[in-house]
């Protein structure tokens, strides 16, 4: 099922169970159901990597239902039906097409949760690590300086909270926290910057050493976060392109571009090679980030460099026997899309060659 179909099904589920309970037990059961529905809706919305589906209004309706049930039937903070889990899920439902506004809304909730403020007469529950990570994630897709200020500000508040009184081990930063932190701060003018990435990797190493978690230093997913797209929305369901994934190569639509600033792309190559020297072996996701970056230049040289990195992943998978770098259709789609849209006379043969290569690889691995 598509994300849109899953979301439609989830909202239909809510309409079926929505009612006005007469007892506290009935209200508690309905609030738990609404929380599960919010979680399912947040997960479906997060997985929507093609369409930007606005479910905020629906999520708000469900959240308000939980709040109203809690206000009517729960008489104290300890018996409140409004949980941290429900609010975390609500934040994941915020409008992805307006990331700045969504991040600010989520950040306001985090601040209120941190001080247990009242929300429409109901005491907000305390945040957990997922709350901080969710708000950081929302800030990470805003872009530019605003993104970095937002992410770093939330992380600083997490550090303070994790050193507070009582049992605060549940607020200990995890790999997801550091992935967001590195991924956001490895950018300059919304492009990968090798200098920023190295600087922040050193900062994260220091933080991990202070936490006594040296194993995370070799986590390939943290290194991959530096070169991965923070918005995770590289495909748009635009009627201009059919099939829709041709939009991956839209930089080549109308021919090759004449762009000489390729410092960001070369920096990504350096980052991948540096991973290998540190024996943090790249995965296919690392290669795909480099390939897509070169494709987005729209240049002849960029297309050739993208092909070179795709060929290298093929070689690593077949000769090095590294299953983590086996190319897949997602790896090759940007290259096929670029050839299909560039209008070059060599395009039909190159498209066929790559399809044949992928077919052969799938038969031998």
């Amino acid at each position: 099922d598509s994300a849109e179909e899953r979301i439609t099904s989830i909202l239909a589920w809510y309409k079926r169970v929505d009612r006005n309970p007469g007892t506290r037990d009935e209200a508690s059961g309905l609030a738990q159901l609404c929380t599960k529905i919010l979680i399912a809706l947040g997960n479906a919305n997060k997985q929507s990597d093609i369409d930007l589906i606005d479910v905020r209004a629906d999520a708000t309706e469900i959240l308000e239902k939980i709040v109203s049930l809690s206000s009517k039937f729960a008489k104290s903070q300890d018996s409140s039906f409004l949980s941290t889990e429900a609010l975390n899920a609500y934040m994941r439902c915020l409008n992805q097409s307006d990331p700045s506004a969504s991040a600010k809304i989520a950040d306001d909730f985090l601040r209120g949760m941190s001080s247990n403020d009242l929300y429409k007469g109901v005491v907000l529950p305390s945040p957990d690590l997922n709350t901080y990570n969710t708000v950081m994630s929302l800030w990470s897709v805003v872009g530019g300086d605003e993104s970095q200020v937002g992410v770093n500000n939330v992380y600083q508040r997490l550090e303070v909270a994790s050193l507070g009184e009582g049992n605060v081990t549940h607020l200990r930063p995890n790999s997801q926290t550091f992935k967001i932190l590195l991924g956001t701060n490895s950018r300059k003018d919304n492009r990968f910057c090798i200098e920023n990435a190295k600087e922040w990797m050193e900062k994260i190493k220091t933080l991990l050493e202070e936490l006594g978690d040296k194993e995370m230093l070799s986590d390939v997913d943290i290194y991959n976060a530096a070169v991965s797209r923070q918005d995770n929305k590289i495909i748009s369901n635009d009627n201009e392109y059919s099939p829709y994934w041709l939009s991956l190569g839209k930089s080549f639509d109308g021919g090759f571009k004449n762009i000489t600033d390729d410092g960001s792309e070369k920096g990504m190559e350096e980052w991948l090679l540096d991973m290998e020297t540190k024996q943090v072996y790249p995965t296919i996701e690392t290669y795909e980030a480099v390939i897509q970056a070169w494709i987005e230049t729209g240049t002849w040289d960029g297309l050739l460099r993208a092909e070179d990195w795709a060929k290298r992943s093929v070689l690593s998978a077949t000769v090095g026997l590294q299953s983590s770098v086996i190319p897949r259709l997602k790896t090759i789609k940007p290259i096929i899309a670029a050839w299909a849209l560039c209008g070059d006379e060599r395009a039909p043969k190159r498209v066929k060659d790559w399809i044949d290569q992928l077919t052969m690889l799938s038969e031998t691995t």
Side-chain angles (χ1 to χ4, degrees):
D1 293 345
S2 67
E4 186 173 9
E5 288 171 333
R6 289 195 299 273
I7 288 171
T8 300
S9 176
I10 292 166
L11 294 177
W13 177 25
Y14 172 66
K15 296 300 181 185
R16 288 195 301 271
V17 302
D18 186 23
R19 62 187 184 278
N20 294 314
T23 67
R24 189 189 186 285
D25 286 344
E26 289 177 352
S28 176
L30 179 56
Q32 290 177 38
L33 264 178
C34 288
T35 298
K36 291 179 180 179
I37 290 170
L38 260 185
I39 293 169
L41 191 60
N43 290 339
N45 191 48
K46 186 179 180 181
Q47 293 163 5
S48 173
D49 60 355
I50 297 172
D51 298 301
L52 292 170
I53 303 171
D54 187 358
V55 296
R56 178 187 166 191
D58 301 294
T60 300
E61 180 183 344
I62 300 170
L63 179 67
E64 298 297 331
K65 184 69 176 184
I66 298 172
V67 171
S68 67
L69 291 170
S70 193
S71 178
K72 184 176 180 180
F73 291 95
K75 301 304 181 184
S76 68
Q77 179 179 356
D78 292 337
S79 61
S80 174
F81 302 148
L82 182 59
S83 65
T84 302
E85 194 175 26
L87 283 169
N88 292 349
Y90 174 73
M91 292 177 192
R92 292 196 297 273
C93 294
L94 292 173
N95 190 353
Q96 299 180 51
S97 61
D98 190 355
S100 180
S102 295
K104 290 172 183 175
I105 291 169
D107 209 329
D108 285 343
F109 266 114
L110 173 59
R111 291 179 188 277
M113 294 167 73
S114 298
S115 53
N116 296 122
D117 290 347
L118 288 178
Y119 176 72
K120 300 191 175 182
V122 175
V123 177
L124 289 171
S126 298
D128 60 12
L129 180 58
N130 286 334
T131 314
Y132 284 93
N133 283 346
T134 299
V135 178
M136 286 176 65
S137 182
L138 285 167
W139 276 119
S140 73
V141 302
V142 172
D145 292 341
E146 185 182 10
S147 186
Q148 293 174 348
V149 170
V151 166
N152 295 337
N153 182 273
V154 174
Y155 180 75
Q156 288 168 6
R157 281 143 55 196
L158 171 61
E159 277 193 315
V160 172
S162 67
L163 297 173
E165 297 179 357
N167 184 8
V168 292
T169 56
H170 66 288
L171 293 177
R172 178 190 177 97
N174 61 9
S175 62
Q176 181 64 20
T177 313
F178 292 117
K179 283 192 286 185
I180 299 169
L181 199 60
L182 180 62
T184 304
N185 288 291
S186 295
R187 297 287 181 275
K188 184 177 181 179
D189 299 326
N190 290 328
R191 299 182 69 201
F192 176 78
C193 174
I194 184 70
E195 292 80 12
N196 285 11
K198 288 182 176 180
E199 177 186 349
W200 273 89
M201 194 65 205
E202 288 304 313
K203 289 182 180 179
I204 288 172
K205 283 182 179 178
T206 301
L207 292 170
L208 289 172
E209 287 170 357
E210 290 174 355
L211 291 170
D213 196 342
K214 294 184 178 181
E215 286 186 11
M216 214 180 293
L217 290 172
S218 58
D219 187 342
V220 67
D221 289 336
I222 292 180
Y223 282 83
N224 281 350
V227 294
S228 66
R229 296 178 62 99
Q230 296 305 297
D231 57 14
N232 200 32
K233 300 283 176 187
I234 59 177
I235 303 178
S236 59
N237 200 1
D238 191 333
N239 292 332
E240 182 181 354
Y241 298 100
S242 181
Y244 64 85
W245 55 264
L246 281 176
S247 61
L248 289 168
K250 63 184 177 182
S251 297
F252 289 85
D253 204 348
F256 298 106
K257 309 297 186 296
N258 185 21
I259 301 173
T260 56
D261 180 13
D262 56 7
S264 175
E265 293 72 35
K266 288 181 177 177
M268 293 175 78
E269 293 182 338
E270 181 183 339
W271 184 259
L272 188 153
L273 295 172
D274 191 48
M275 288 171 63
E276 292 180 337
T277 63
K278 291 182 169 67
Q279 295 188 322
V280 180
Y281 296 108
T283 62
I284 193 59
E285 287 81 9
T286 327
Y287 283 94
E288 287 170 353
V290 176
I291 290 167
Q292 183 62 41
W294 277 115
I295 290 297
E296 289 179 2
T297 66
T299 65
W300 170 249
D301 183 58
L303 180 51
L304 295 184
R305 294 290 277 266
E307 288 195 313
D308 285 343
W309 281 101
K311 291 172 184 175
R312 180 172 178 170
S313 71
V314 171
L315 187 64
S316 296
T318 54
V319 177
L321 300 178
Q322 295 183 44
S323 60
S324 62
V325 294
I326 295 176
R328 49 192 176 179
L329 186 56
K330 182 180 178 180
T331 313
I332 308 301
K333 272 183 177 179
I335 295 172
I336 294 176
W339 277 116
L341 294 173
C342 71
D344 190 270
E345 61 182 8
R346 290 160 285 194
K349 182 178 184 304
R350 296 303 297 138
V351 169
K352 182 179 183 303
D353 288 346
W354 276 110
I355 292 174
D356 290 345
Q357 176 72 73
L358 197 62
T359 302
M360 182 180 69
L361 191 64
S362 65
E363 293 173 349
T364 57
T365 55

